[in-house]
């Protein structure tokens, strides 16, 4: 799925959701770091698409795996071909809902903490997911950030025996989304 197809999917989702207040982005950011005593491997992706429906609290995010950029060319190749198998599993998705949205003012520029729960789909595996998210509003744009740890075993990501000391079992992940209101 390329960026154009991804945008089309999000626009269809928006059309299906009616006329409630919605926010979206195509330029969200995800960063990961695998830290071991042998090596640090990190990558970033600034092509994350997300949509948030204020009235229902629902949020959907789609991350194209091949859009991750890793500083080392060999790490990039191994990331896509060996670990993430991005031809077979081209995207990661999160579909969920903010469970305590009624307790915050989404128009406030103060940082507020929310709980989101849903399903994280990665590497062909769907897992229930609960996370704390910080949100704020800056001149009409909603910003959301969260940091989490992902256990690669939970998603069936295997590491070849000869490099087990070079890939962390638990990877640090940071997500930053700045969503703009969808104008009708």
């Amino acid at each position: 799925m390329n960026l154009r197809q991804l945008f089309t999917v999000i626009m269809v989702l928006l059309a299906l959701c009616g006329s409630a207040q919605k926010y979206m982005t195509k330029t969200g950011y995800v960063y990961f770091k695998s830290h071991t005593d042998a090596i640090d491997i990190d990558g970033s992706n600034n092509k994350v698409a997300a949509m948030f429906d204020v009235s229902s609290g629902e949020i959907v995010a789609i991350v194209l795996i091949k859009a991750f950029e890793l500083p080392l060319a060999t790490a990039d190749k191994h990331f896509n071909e060996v670990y993430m198998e991005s031809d077979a599993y081209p995207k990661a998705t999160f579909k969920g809902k903010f469970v305590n949205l009624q307790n915050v003012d989404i128009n406030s520029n103060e940082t507020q903490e929310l709980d989101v729960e849903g399903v994280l789909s990665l590497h062909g595996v769907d897992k229930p997911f609960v996370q704390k998210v910080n949100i704020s509003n800056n001149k009409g744009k909603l910003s959301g950030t969260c940091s989490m740890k992902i256990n690669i075993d939970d998603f069936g990501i295997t590491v070849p025996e000869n490099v087990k000391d070079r890939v962390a079992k638990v990877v640090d992940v940071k997500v930053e989304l700045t969503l703009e209101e969808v104008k009708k």
Side-chain angles (χ1 to χ4, degrees), residues 39-51:
I39 190 171
D40 286 343
I41 302 167
D42 64 334
S44 60
N45 180 336
N46 63 357
K47 296 178 182 169
V48 177
M51 190 267 304

Side-chain angles (χ1 to χ4, degrees), residues 30-32 43-45 63-70 76 79:
V30 174
Y31 171 82
F32 76 85
S44 60
N45 180 336
V63 179
L64 299 177
I65 301 301
K66 284 188 178 181
F68 276 98
E69 297 177 0
L70 286 77
D76 189 69
F79 174 79

Side-chain angles (χ1 to χ4, degrees), residues 1 4 23 33 39 61 63 73 83 95 97 102-103 113 115 138 141 158 171 178 181 184:
M1 180 181 290
R4 181 179 299 241
Y23 289 82
K33 185 172 189 172
I39 190 171
V63 179
Y83 308 116
K95 294 177 186 173
K97 186 173 185 173
Q102 70 280 2
N103 298 335
E113 187 176 80
D115 296 315
N138 185 7
K141 294 181 182 181
T158 57
V171 177
T178 300
E181 188 172 3
K184 297 171 180 80

Side-chain angles (χ1 to χ4, degrees), residues 28-179:
Y29 177 78
V30 174
Y31 171 82
F32 76 85
K33 185 172 189 172
S34 165
H35 171 74
T36 65
D37 290 339
I39 190 171
D40 286 343
I41 302 167
D42 64 334
S44 60
N45 180 336
N46 63 357
K47 296 178 182 169
V48 177
M51 190 267 304
F52 168 55
D53 182 326
V54 175
S55 65
S56 68
E58 293 176 355
I59 184 161
V60 176
I62 302 171
V63 179
L64 299 177
I65 301 301
K66 284 188 178 181
F68 276 98
E69 297 177 0
L70 286 77
L72 301 171
T74 55
D76 189 69
K77 181 178 178 177
H78 291 148
F79 174 79
N80 281 295
E81 293 176 8
V82 178
Y83 308 116
M84 296 304 292
E85 301 174 277
S86 56
D87 285 337
Y89 309 108
K91 65 184 185 290
T93 62
F94 175 76
K95 294 177 186 173
K97 186 173 185 173
F98 288 103
V99 293
N100 55 344
L101 188 60
Q102 70 280 2
N103 298 335
V104 300
D105 175 6
I106 67 159
N107 295 312
S108 173
N109 62 357
E110 301 279 325
T111 299
Q112 302 168 84
E113 187 176 80
L114 286 167
D115 296 315
V116 66
E117 60 183 39
V119 175
L120 177 61
S121 300
L122 176 67
H123 199 251
V125 177
D126 296 343
K127 295 293 255 182
F129 192 77
V130 178
Q131 183 64 47
K132 299 270 186 209
V133 178
N134 291 313
I135 68 160
S136 63
N137 189 319
N138 185 7
K139 298 179 183 173
K141 294 181 182 181
L142 287 180
S143 294
T145 62
C146 69
S147 296
M148 65 195 93
K149 295 188 180 294
I150 302 287
N151 185 325
I152 65 173
D153 288 341
D154 289 347
F155 294 95
I157 300 168
T158 57
V159 178
E161 191 64 39
N162 62 331
V163 293
K164 281 202 178 220
D165 66 329
R166 294 176 168 229
V167 178
K169 288 287 190 188
V170 177
V171 177
D172 295 315
V173 178
K174 182 176 183 179
V175 179
E176 298 175 0
L177 300 174
T178 300
L179 302 105

Side-chain angles (χ1 to χ4, degrees), residues 11-22:
M11 293 310 293
V12 169
L13 286 172
L14 285 171
L16 294 174
C17 291
S19 61
Q21 186 179 16
K22 294 175 190 57

